[in-house]
Amino acid sequence: MPSLIKLSQPSAPAQAGAKSPGRKRRSVLRALATGAATLALPGLHTPVNAQAFPAKPVRLIVPFAPGGAADVMARLVGKGLEAQLKQPVVVDNKPGADGILAVNELIKSQPDGYTIMMGTNTATVAVPALRSPSPYDPFKVFTPLSSAGEFSMFLAVNPKLPSGSLKEFMDHVAANPDKFNSGSSNSAAELAMLQLLGTRNAKVVNARYKGDVQAMQDLIGGQIHMMFSTGTLTPGFVKDGKVKSLLTLLPTRSPLLPEVPTALELGIGKLTITPWAGFFGPAAMPAEVVEKLSLELRHALARPDVRDQLVNQGFASYGMSPAEFSAFFKKQYDGFVATVRENNVKFE
């Protein structure tokens, strides 16, 4: 907090009729000191601590294990933010419990801007919407800072199954209810799978993972048979022939796998789940710090070195102001809840 200037008591008055050459100077000094004290009063000008932010490293919590799409994206943007803030940005992976561990870390941190979180649909939307009782109210515990963008997502399947086309694969799955396993590490992938299965009234058993890397290993090994995975992971395994991709959730074909069709092309309608990410702080952050972080996050996302690498990972990046991101967040939450109700989804 800014320290106020302590004014000294005025000197004893001069004797009547005596001239005091220093009186005017003392009056000017007192006036200057009073003005300085006024400048230091809170609310009249930007606080000194906000002007100095950041004065130390910023911690970036990631609710996923290292190596996955969310972790890669967070580290790329973190490097850009580090360049913008001219302070280190330290990535702290806190996987597990659908992101609850990461959220708890954020909630208990000081709301000073030195701890922020990269959040996705899972921790910020799915957990509070689906858990009963809800572990936290997302509109009370988070300060939305900026969106990050959207992940590309592909349906990956084990190539040993009939998979010449999505229709052939889904026909096989629908004809063998509960005999196949799907895998997911986040709510967006799980709900997208439910929407896809719903187009054929097919049933599978879903296995939950802490990250896409582990799920992909089991897909290749045959422990699971299908999953929605991101552009960070899927293309390499498709090109190596270890998995096949039959569908992308993107509205248009991805340059990462241009041979993979969209849902609209395949005539199954638009799958409405959008896997997105954004940056959040804890509640009650100073407005000046919120604006500073949001602005620098948007600048980081727009840096050519960051943007180009994100594109190569299949991530469509875009930043938003705190007000824009808050509105986007509310719309995504409401849409997610509607999809859950339509599919009668309940998470254990």
Side-chain angles (χ1 to χ4, degrees):
M1 176 170 177
S3 58
L4 301 180
I5 297 174
K6 184 176 181 181
L7 301 181
S8 59
Q9 292 294 325
S11 304
Q15 293 182 358
K19 292 184 178 180
S20 176
R23 179 177 298 169
K24 183 176 180 181
R25 182 172 56 196
R26 285 197 300 274
S27 297
V28 171
L29 289 175
R30 283 199 298 272
L32 288 173
T34 303
T38 303
L39 287 174
L41 291 176
L44 295 181
H45 294 271
T46 303
V48 172
N49 60 342
Q51 291 176 340
F53 178 86
K56 61 181 181 179
V58 173
R59 177 189 182 202
L60 174 56
I61 300 172
V62 177
F64 297 95
D71 176 69
V72 171
M73 184 276 291
R75 290 177 186 276
L76 288 173
V77 180
K79 285 294 183 184
L81 182 61
E82 191 171 273
Q84 292 296 134
L85 296 177
K86 296 179 174 55
Q87 286 287 350
V89 174
V90 182
V91 174
D92 186 5
N93 295 91
K94 293 290 180 183
D98 291 326
I100 294 177
L101 299 180
V103 171
N104 285 341
E105 283 290 310
L106 183 72
I107 290 174
K108 70 183 184 182
S109 68
Q110 291 295 318
D112 54 10
Y114 289 104
T115 300
I116 61 177
M117 183 185 79
M118 189 286 298
T120 65
N121 312 55
T122 301
T124 63
V125 172
V127 167
L130 297 175
R131 295 292 179 98
S132 182
S134 177
Y136 44 82
D137 184 336
F139 302 106
K140 292 182 178 179
V141 301
F142 297 133
T143 295
L145 300 173
S146 172
S147 61
E150 297 177 12
F151 297 98
S152 58
M153 196 166 278
F154 301 92
L155 175 66
V157 304
N158 189 298
K160 295 180 181 178
L161 297 175
S163 53
S165 67
L166 180 67
K167 182 181 184 306
E168 181 186 15
F169 180 77
M170 292 304 296
D171 284 346
H172 187 64
V173 172
N176 297 276
D178 295 325
K179 290 185 179 180
F180 295 101
N181 300 327
S182 64
S184 64
S185 67
N186 59 79
S187 61
E190 189 161 345
L191 285 186
M193 184 65 73
L194 284 170
Q195 284 190 327
L196 175 62
L197 294 170
T199 64
R200 295 296 309 276
N201 292 320
K203 294 181 180 180
V204 301
V205 178
N206 187 64
R208 305 293 302 282
Y209 291 83
K210 288 185 177 182
D212 274 2
V213 174
Q214 298 94 322
M216 183 62 75
Q217 289 172 346
D218 280 358
L219 178 65
I220 294 169
Q223 285 81 18
I224 62 174
H225 307 98
M226 55 198 294
M227 65 180 286
F228 274 106
S229 182
T230 63
T232 303
L233 205 59
T234 311
F237 290 110
V238 170
K239 291 170 183 175
D240 289 344
K242 294 181 178 180
V243 302
K244 290 189 72 171
S245 183
L246 305 177
L247 168 71
T248 176
L249 291 184
L250 294 171
T252 59
R253 293 195 180 205
S254 169
L256 297 176
L257 290 172
E259 71 277 14
V260 177
T262 68
L264 287 174
E265 287 181 274
L266 293 172
I268 58 175
K270 183 178 184 294
L271 302 183
T272 58
I273 295 300
T274 300
W276 57 267
F279 294 93
F280 298 83
M285 289 176 62
E288 296 87 356
V289 175
V290 171
E291 291 297 332
K292 171 72 172 177
L293 276 171
S294 177
L295 181 64
E296 300 304 350
L297 280 165
R298 284 175 275 159
H299 284 162
L301 287 163
R303 291 174 63 93
D305 56 330
V306 174
R307 184 185 62 238
D308 293 347
Q309 290 186 76
L310 290 174
V311 169
N312 291 336
Q313 297 292 333
F315 187 80
S317 61
Y318 51 82
M320 294 180 184
S321 70
E324 291 169 336
F325 186 39
S326 294
F328 171 88
F329 182 43
K330 178 68 164 60
K331 183 177 180 180
Q332 288 294 314
Y333 182 88
D334 292 343
F336 184 96
V337 170
T339 300
V340 165
R341 288 173 179 168
E342 289 170 8
N343 290 275
N344 193 30
V345 178
K346 293 181 181 179
F347 281 0
E348 296 291 333

